[in-house]
């Protein structure tokens, strides 16, 4: 099992002195976060804050739901540049990337030859012959290098760091931060280059929350401190502040957004976990195509609701028989109950089916299966059409 047993976990905390941390990379905003008491996980060998001493996980959740929250992520943008860049992108990803226009971005899944998932992420076409892939935690760089042999392409780590700005006030912050006004159009999965305090920055209309939001990419040439101070001033009237992954984790479960390595891995195909819409079987050859053509197209992933916090890796039982396992769990301040994501042994499980769920207290609690996302089924919140901001009791 992983490091967390439901009672304790192992995180990284900054401390004085020198020593062995040579394989870890700090975010460009590490010095901004340090006074807030961050506690980090390791993600793509980068440090990503799970929580801060200055704000509870629940307070961070409500910051996201009611105002605007910033997470400095551990996503790893890799750069693919050269005459054969598009050829390689279309080979590596299950979606037809020949249709991706310059100045746009897309959700990209990569599979092994047997159809098992490697990783997911956001692919940006920043130029006709240049792509950035902001990948989730996973072994992708070497995989891409191995499949680029003989192609006219350079694959590099350009030392870019991704930050998410999410919440109902996020677009107000963007409008205030842009020197030349809001980019138009800037619809879902759009990409733009804007100036923040005189520095040109790539932004995308994406996020990991299903809240209204956007992301920005801090490149190696940027003055990161000046960039943050500019955004902080722009966001101050709208309640902008930094929060941690633990708070975002609750919202992503509610939204049914998956995490590479826990909700899916090399043992699951895109179809197993409800991502079949991102597999273009009619496109040209791509890695895993033959296996995915033969694979079951049934979804085995579903949400769970419970009166306690589901424990990742715990069994889900129906009539005393194991029928699945928990892949993600949390307590939802909004739904006022335990929420989770489950991978079932077989497809065809119906919402509202009664089950018992292994929880972090070591006991099985009564619960039920539920359709993902757990609310906002039409995805209106992330498009700015979600209506009233939820109230905190």
């Amino acid at each position: 099992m992983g490091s967390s047993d439901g009672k304790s976990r192992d995180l990284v905390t900054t401390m004085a002195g020198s020593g062995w941390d040579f394989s870890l990379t700090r975010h460009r905003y590490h010095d901004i976060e340090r006074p807030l008491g961050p506690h980090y996980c390791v993600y793509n060998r980068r440090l990503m804050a799970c929580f801060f001493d200055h704000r509870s996980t629940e307070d961070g959740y409500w910051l996201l739901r009611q105002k605007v929250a910033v997470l400095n992520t551990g996503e790893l943008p890799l750069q693919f540049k050269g005459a054969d860049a598009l050829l390689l992108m279309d080979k590596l990803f299950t979606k037809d990337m020949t249709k991706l226009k310059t100045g746009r971005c897309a959700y990209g899944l990569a599979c092994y030859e047997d159809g098992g998932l490697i990783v997911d992420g956001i692919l940006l076409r920043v130029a006709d012959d240049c792509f950035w892939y902001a990948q989730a935690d996973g072994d992708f760089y070497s995989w891409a290098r191995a499949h680029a042999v003989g192609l006219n392409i350079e694959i590099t780590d350009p030392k870019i760091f991704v930050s998410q700005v999410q919440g109902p006030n996020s677009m107000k912050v963007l409008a205030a931060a842009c020197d030349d006004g809001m980019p138009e159009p800037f619809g879902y999965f759009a990409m733009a280059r804007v100036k923040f305090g005189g520095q040109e920055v790539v932004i995308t209309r994406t996020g990991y929350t299903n809240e209204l939001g956007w992301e920005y990419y801090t490149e190696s040439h940027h003055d990161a401190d000046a960039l943050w101070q500019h955004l902080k001033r722009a966001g101050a009237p709208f309640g902008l502040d930094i929060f941690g992954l633990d708070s975002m984790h609750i919202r992503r479960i509610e939204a049914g957004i998956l995490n590479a390595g826990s909700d899916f891995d090399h043992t699951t195909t895109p179809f197993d976990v409800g991502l079949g819409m991102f597999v273009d079987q009619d496109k040209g050859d791509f890695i895993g195509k033959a296996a995915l053509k033969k694979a079951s197209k049934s979804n085995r992933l579903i949400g769970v609701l419970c009166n306690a916090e589901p424990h990742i890796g715990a069994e889900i039982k129906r009539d005393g028989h194991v029928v699945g396992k928990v892949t993600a769990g949390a307590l939802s301040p909004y739904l006022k109950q335990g929420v989770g994501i489950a991978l079932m042994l077989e497809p065809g499980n119906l919402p509202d089916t009664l089950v018992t769920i292994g929880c972090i207290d070591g006991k099985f609690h009564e619960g039920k299966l539920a359709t993902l996302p757990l609310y906002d089924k039409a995805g209106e919140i992330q498009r700015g059409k979600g209506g009233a901001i939820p109230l905190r009791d």
Side-chain angles (χ1 to χ4, degrees):
M1 63 179 295
S3 61
S4 178
D5 57 8
K7 301 176 182 178
S8 64
R9 59 176 171 166
D10 303 314
L11 296 176
V12 180
T13 301
T14 301
M15 62 183 64
S18 62
W20 195 283
D21 64 350
F22 313 122
S23 63
L24 301 181
T25 301
R26 291 174 172 175
H27 200 283
R28 289 290 301 278
Y29 299 108
H30 182 81
D31 287 342
I32 302 295
E33 293 179 341
R34 185 155 48 183
L36 306 179
H39 301 270
Y40 295 102
C41 65
V42 180
Y43 193 90
N44 284 317
R45 296 188 178 181
R46 295 180 165 195
L47 298 180
M48 179 163 55
C50 287
F51 68 94
F52 294 88
D53 290 339
H54 86 303
R55 170 173 284 115
S56 72
T57 294
E58 184 170 341
D59 286 346
Y61 173 88
W62 285 113
L63 177 71
L64 169 66
R65 297 299 318 277
Q66 296 179 324
K67 296 179 181 178
V68 56
V70 178
L71 178 74
N72 298 316
T73 81
E75 292 167 316
L76 175 62
L78 299 174
Q79 179 170 283
F80 301 83
K81 183 173 177 60
D84 292 330
L86 179 58
L87 179 65
L88 181 61
M89 296 299 93
D90 206 42
K91 179 180 180 180
L92 292 175
F93 297 112
T94 61
K95 196 171 178 63
D96 187 350
M97 293 306 177
T98 65
K99 298 178 180 179
L100 182 58
K101 297 179 180 179
T102 300
R104 292 285 299 176
C105 54
Y107 180 62
L109 293 174
C111 289
Y112 290 107
E113 293 284 1
D114 66 359
L117 280 158
I118 304 173
V119 74
D120 68 343
I122 302 297
L123 184 68
L124 292 71
R125 192 168 187 177
V126 294
D128 289 349
D129 66 345
C130 184
F131 296 81
W132 292 349
Y133 183 51
Q135 67 156 95
D137 195 22
D139 302 321
F140 187 71
Y141 173 76
S142 296
W143 178 254
R145 285 284 300 269
H147 287 281
V149 173
L151 298 181
N152 181 3
I153 188 170
E154 183 181 19
I155 304 173
T156 59
D157 174 3
K159 309 300 181 185
I160 296 172
F161 292 82
V162 185
S163 299
Q164 299 196 10
V165 183
Q166 307 280 300
N169 289 342
S170 59
M171 290 303 166
K172 297 175 184 177
V173 174
L174 179 59
C178 289
D179 296 354
D180 302 317
M182 280 277 286
E184 294 292 347
F186 194 54
Y188 208 48
F189 273 82
M191 180 193 122
R193 295 181 183 271
V194 297
K195 286 188 177 180
F196 290 157
Q199 299 188 73
E200 185 176 272
V201 179
V202 171
I203 62 172
T204 59
R205 183 70 174 75
T206 51
Y208 193 61
T209 64
N210 271 19
E211 291 289 324
L212 188 65
W214 50 280
E215 298 180 280
Y216 69 97
Y217 289 67
T218 302
E219 299 177 61
S220 56
H221 66 268
H222 285 138
D223 181 334
D225 184 67
L227 193 58
W228 170 248
Q229 295 304 328
H230 175 76
L231 289 172
K232 186 178 179 180
R233 286 192 296 270
F238 308 106
L240 177 142
D241 201 0
I242 292 173
F243 80 149
L245 183 62
D246 286 354
S247 300
M248 182 177 284
H249 175 65
I250 302 169
R251 184 65 183 97
R252 72 95 180 175
I253 292 174
E254 295 172 347
I257 301 175
L258 306 188
N259 177 59
S262 58
D263 298 313
F264 66 78
D265 59 21
H266 66 282
T267 68
T268 55
T269 70
F271 302 111
D272 286 332
V273 293
L275 297 176
M277 70 186 75
F278 301 105
V279 179
D280 291 334
Q281 286 283 179
D282 295 331
K283 65 176 273 191
D285 194 30
F286 63 90
I287 299 170
K289 181 177 182 179
L292 291 174
K293 186 175 182 179
K294 300 175 183 177
S296 168
K297 305 303 187 289
S298 299
N299 177 21
R300 295 190 288 124
L301 207 76
I302 197 165
V304 294
L305 297 171
C306 188
N307 59 6
E309 181 178 342
H311 186 201
I312 296 175
E315 295 175 338
I316 297 175
K317 297 180 180 181
R318 185 171 64 238
D319 299 326
H321 300 287
V322 176
V323 293
K325 68 174 183 179
V326 177
T327 64
L331 290 174
S332 168
Y334 175 64
L335 296 176
K336 296 181 176 60
Q337 61 186 312
V339 296
I341 298 174
L343 183 66
M344 308 303 283
L345 297 181
E346 301 292 339
N349 296 277
L350 299 177
D352 296 321
T353 298
L354 299 180
V355 292
T356 55
I357 302 167
C359 294
I360 62 169
D361 61 3
K363 301 177 182 178
F364 279 85
H365 290 260
E366 293 183 353
K368 64 179 180 179
L369 304 182
T371 303
L372 293 171
L374 298 176
Y375 56 89
D376 186 33
K377 306 294 186 181
E380 293 184 342
I381 293 175
Q382 67 204 49
R383 291 174 172 81
K385 301 176 181 179
I389 295 173
L391 297 177
R392 181 178 185 178
D393 291 342

